[in-house]
Amino acid sequence: MRLLLVEDTVDLACWLQKALTQKGFAVDWVADGVAADHALQCEAYALVVLDVSLPRIDGLEVLTRLRRRGQSVPVLLLTARSALDDRVRGLNLGADDYLTKPFELDELEARLRALLRCSQSQAAQSQSLGQLVLDGEGYFLLADRPLALTPRESSILTTLMQRHGRPVSRQHLYEQTFSLADEASPESIELYVHRVRKKLAGSDVAIVTLRGLGYSLETLPCG
């Protein structure tokens, strides 16, 4: 899942970006409120980790603008331990959770995954298409057996599963799979789609290429 990290402390931001990437997130990092506001208007994110104390405009103003635009992406605020007023105001402005500094990475990851489960009410229940099942924790089963996928393969298959039967453009798959810092092009999606296709081979579900439109996850006809 694609995540926007907004943090102006460089050492902390670099550590978080690396750690969350290893946990399977595609992480974009910006260091000030104006850049965050711009990114949130131009890019699609599943989660936002937003520091309150930021240069140019602070995190609470970024949050205010986000909610004023009607964007419902879950937001976790990072605050100083003593900043009770910021935490209360942030929750009232529409933040979904907060974490005080310093914090443990395991707690941050647990809170982010909890926000994902809450924001994707459809995913709280398992989804199925033929022999393929996406459970409420985001794991896939194929013919009742766990399907081994890398984080990027899982991101592609999740995106296709959530829109199965409808075309998904290569650009949209790219945006949901890679961060802005990744050295990859939209054409690289073809490689990951090929890998997922191989793992679905022999089942009743396949990724179909729709020329000029992208890809679609569909069930295969019997026989």
Side-chain angles (χ1 to χ4, degrees), residues 184-212:
S185 66
E187 287 74 19
S188 62
I189 286 295
E190 295 176 9
L191 172 62
Y192 290 96
V193 168
H194 174 71
R195 291 176 179 175
V196 176
R197 275 186 171 137
K198 290 181 65 175
K199 294 183 178 182
L200 296 175
S203 74
D204 63 352
V205 179
I207 299 175
V208 177
T209 299
L210 304 173
R211 183 167 297 182

Side-chain angles (χ1 to χ4, degrees), residues 55-88:
R56 303 177 75 184
I57 60 174
D58 67 23
L60 296 182
E61 177 61 23
V62 173
L63 177 62
T64 298
R65 296 183 184 187
L66 178 76
R67 296 303 186 225
R68 190 181 296 148
R69 291 192 295 267
Q71 294 176 265
S72 59
V73 55
V75 175
L76 183 144
L77 292 179
L78 298 180
T79 70
R81 185 172 297 279
S82 60
L84 176 61
D85 289 347
D86 285 345
R87 298 200 299 272
V88 172

Side-chain angles (χ1 to χ4, degrees), residues 87-129:
R87 298 200 299 272
V88 172
R89 186 180 169 209
L91 292 171
N92 287 335
L93 288 173
D96 299 274
D97 199 358
Y98 69 86
L99 196 56
T100 54
K101 300 177 180 178
F103 54 84
E104 296 293 331
L105 178 63
D106 286 346
E107 182 179 5
L108 174 61
E109 183 190 6
R111 288 175 179 264
L112 291 176
R113 297 203 183 279
L115 289 178
L116 275 176
R117 290 195 295 271
C118 291
S119 68
Q120 298 172 345
S121 57
Q122 299 90 349
Q125 303 175 2
S126 63
Q127 301 177 56
S128 61
L129 182 67

Side-chain angles (χ1 to χ4, degrees), residues 109-186:
E109 183 190 6
R111 288 175 179 264
L112 291 176
R113 297 203 183 279
L115 289 178
L116 275 176
R117 290 195 295 271
C118 291
S119 68
Q120 298 172 345
S121 57
Q122 299 90 349
Q125 303 175 2
S126 63
Q127 301 177 56
S128 61
L129 182 67
Q131 296 174 317
L132 184 66
V133 175
L134 173 60
D135 69 18
E137 297 297 319
Y139 296 101
F140 282 95
L141 300 173
L142 185 63
D144 297 323
R145 295 184 179 181
L147 184 61
L149 298 167
T150 67
R152 284 175 176 165
E153 291 168 357
S154 180
S155 176
I156 285 172
L157 192 53
T158 298
T159 302
L160 291 170
M161 183 73 161
Q162 291 173 345
R163 299 180 61 179
H164 67 78
R166 292 177 289 166
V168 180
S169 69
R170 184 173 61 182
Q171 182 66 32
H172 183 71
L173 285 176
Y174 173 79
E175 291 171 355
Q176 295 303 307
T177 304
F178 293 96
S179 71
L180 294 175
D182 286 326
E183 295 183 358
S185 66

